[in-house]
Amino acid sequence: MRQFLRDNGLSIALLSLFLISLVGQALAGWRAQAEELRLHELPAIGFTDYLASGHFISAVFENWESEFLQMAAYVVLTIFLFQKGASESKKPDEPNPEDESPSARRSDPDAPWPVHRGGLLLKLYSHSLSIALVTLFLASFWLHLVGSTRRMNEEALMHHQPTQTMVETLGDPGFWYESFQNWQSEFLSIAVLLVLGIYLRERGSPESKPVAAPHTATGH
């Protein structure tokens, strides 16, 4: 168990922080929703009912959507674009192991099994990371749309207004405002990390270049 925790400590810590934050968001959102209902002289809803409400679903997947978009875009852009001096960029002036053809490693017994199989399966596996991230983005976008439609309809019922469909939500500037306000912050944060990583260091972190590395050094 000790070795398992050591070998998987980073993912365990991040997932634990995620769950703590998600529970905190749910509890705080439930209280905020209860106060809003009270102001409209409506009965409060239970915690489990709140988890299925548009208020909660929209807020959760609005953020997930932007995170997965940022990661998918970053993975794909780093295939074609370079940033000299950045630890996360490929080296622009020399061969990079990331570009090596996997077919050359088919005889390697430690290679993943799709490398041994080859063909279409290997082509899919060669792009499986971007496929997974794009799929997660599209799923989160869809659930954000579902949640936003539900939330808008819940608010419409409070004010005795007509409800709307998901297609109508797609044309609502408020829905796109929610998306773009998160997208821009995600792209800014990754750009800031990329540029700061050229000149600043964090000893012991694989996300940073070695402390003594020159600013012009690209990649690890």
Side-chain angles (χ1 to χ4, degrees):
M1 177 59 71
R2 180 178 298 176
Q3 183 175 352
F4 174 82
L5 293 175
R6 185 204 65 182
D7 293 345
N8 300 280
L10 185 57
S11 59
I12 291 171
L14 290 172
L15 287 172
S16 298
L17 289 169
F18 160 71
L19 290 174
I20 292 170
S21 300
L22 184 63
V23 171
Q25 178 188 358
L27 291 172
W30 178 43
R31 295 290 299 273
Q33 179 76 339
E35 178 61 17
E36 184 176 350
L37 291 171
R38 186 188 67 80
L39 293 174
H40 287 84
E41 299 181 346
L42 294 171
I45 62 175
F47 182 67
T48 54
D49 290 331
Y50 173 73
L51 296 180
S53 71
H55 188 274
F56 181 70
I57 294 173
S58 175
V60 169
F61 290 103
E62 172 189 336
N63 286 281
W64 289 22
E65 162 197 313
S66 61
E67 296 289 347
F68 291 128
L69 174 63
Q70 175 235 82
M71 289 188 285
Y74 191 54
V75 166
V76 173
L77 289 175
T78 53
I79 298 173
F80 309 103
L81 303 178
F82 303 97
Q83 180 60 57
K84 187 173 181 180
S87 61
E88 297 301 315
S89 171
K90 293 192 293 186
K91 297 177 175 64
D93 302 316
E94 59 185 90
N96 292 275
E98 297 87 351
D99 297 325
E100 178 189 21
S101 172
S103 300
R105 302 286 298 275
R106 292 187 67 175
S107 59
D108 185 348
D110 294 326
W113 66 271
V115 176
H116 298 294
R117 290 288 299 273
L120 178 61
L121 182 63
L122 177 56
K123 288 184 180 298
L124 292 173
Y125 183 71
S126 297
H127 302 285
S128 55
L129 179 58
S130 59
I131 291 171
L133 291 172
V134 169
T135 300
L136 288 168
F137 162 69
L138 292 175
S140 299
F141 183 87
W142 171 258
L143 289 167
H144 175 207
L145 177 62
V146 170
S148 290
T149 303
R150 189 175 297 181
R151 189 198 72 231
M152 291 176 183
N153 288 338
E154 290 166 354
E155 293 173 354
L157 291 173
M158 288 184 196
H159 297 92
H160 308 289
Q161 298 293 324
T163 58
Q164 65 184 43
T165 65
M166 285 193 291
V167 173
E168 290 172 324
T169 301
L170 273 176
D172 191 312
F175 172 77
W176 290 104
Y177 174 78
E178 293 173 353
S179 290
F180 282 121
Q181 72 171 338
N182 284 280
W183 294 2
Q184 55 88 12
S185 65
E186 295 299 335
F187 289 129
L188 174 63
S189 66
I190 199 67
V192 168
L193 179 62
L194 186 72
V195 174
L196 289 181
I198 299 173
Y199 305 102
L200 305 180
R201 308 287 188 267
E202 186 59 48
R203 185 180 179 187
S205 173
E207 297 303 309
S208 167
K209 291 184 293 187
V211 176
H215 295 326
T216 55
T218 304
H220 291 295

